[in-house]
Amino acid sequence: MDGKKNVYRRLFFSTLKLSACTFGGGFVIIPLMRKKFVEELHWIEEQEMLDLTAIAQSSPGAIAVNASILVGYHVAGIFGAFLAVLGTILPPLVIISVISFFYAAVRDNPIIDMAMTGMLAGVAAVICDVVITMGTGIVKQRRVLPIVVLLLSFVAVCFFHANIMLVLLLCGVVGAVDTYLRRKGGVSAK
């Protein structure tokens, strides 16, 4: 029982710390969750983290919260999902509540504006790191279909302004059909 309590405690405080120390949303917290839960704690495998990230990104809602639910559930069941979400939403809730009291006084401050602009550059760098890190795992599989789907999705959204929901649905269908055909053919989906 103490072992389970220790897992719950570590899960809660890990997500609390990650959420409190990140700026920029879900795309920033995902690589930090990967580092914590895959590399440090070894609670999740690399491929599982990729799968959980894909599900979190395609589900409605905040990516950080979705990822926390999935990671928490994967590690410690329903109560783990609850604790992970609680750890993820508490820091922004407290910070935004405090900021809302002082917003009027600092909203036009040029120093605050410059600090926020500088943080955007850091967020962009972290998002690039996520793309490179997770993209490398896909490229290492030496499968053509995921790379083609990735490139076509990028082109459709960036250059042809395709509806993102339609692109996600189409990618989901392509992935489901590919997985079905690979399993039916006796090839592992990994």
Side-chain angles (χ1 to χ4, degrees):
M1 187 66 172
D2 287 333
K4 202 165 200 172
K5 285 183 182 179
N6 189 34
V7 169
Y8 289 149
R9 188 175 15 260
R10 286 188 84 173
L11 181 62
F12 173 77
F13 285 111
S14 293
T15 55
L16 183 81
K17 181 178 144 188
L18 289 172
S19 182
C21 298
T22 57
F23 186 88
F27 290 113
V28 176
I29 202 169
I30 294 290
L32 299 175
M33 289 177 94
R34 183 188 152 278
K35 182 174 179 139
K36 184 69 171 180
F37 297 116
V38 174
E39 294 177 9
E40 290 178 25
L41 297 174
H42 305 287
W43 285 351
I44 300 175
E45 297 295 323
E46 182 76 34
Q47 184 62 44
E48 290 173 321
M49 190 66 198
L50 284 171
D51 294 342
L52 294 175
T53 300
I55 293 168
Q57 290 175 331
S58 60
S59 301
I63 294 172
V65 173
N66 292 343
S68 294
I69 291 169
L70 294 168
V71 168
Y73 183 79
H74 183 78
V75 170
I78 292 173
F79 192 62
F82 172 75
L83 288 175
V85 168
L86 190 62
T88 300
I89 64 172
L90 274 177
L93 179 68
V94 170
I95 291 167
I96 290 171
S97 297
V98 170
I99 288 174
S100 69
F101 287 115
F102 302 104
Y103 178 70
V106 297
R107 72 175 160 211
D108 296 326
N109 186 320
I111 295 172
I112 299 290
D113 187 47
M114 286 188 290
M116 296 301 273
T117 302
M119 287 182 193
L120 287 176
V123 169
V126 171
I127 291 172
C128 286
D129 178 60
V130 171
V131 170
I132 291 167
T133 302
M134 295 189 152
T136 302
I138 292 170
V139 171
K140 284 182 180 177
Q141 292 177 358
R142 296 183 189 255
R143 291 190 53 227
V144 175
L145 183 63
I147 296 168
V148 170
V149 169
L150 173 80
L151 293 173
L152 289 176
S153 299
F154 176 77
V155 169
V157 172
C158 286
F159 297 113
F160 297 107
H161 306 290
N163 184 317
I164 293 174
M165 289 305 297
L166 291 176
V167 172
L168 283 173
L169 287 173
L170 186 60
C171 289
V173 169
V174 169
V177 169
D178 179 53
T179 300
Y180 173 76
L181 292 174
R182 288 170 53 82
R183 287 189 178 164
K184 185 177 177 186
V187 179
S188 172
K190 285 187 176 183

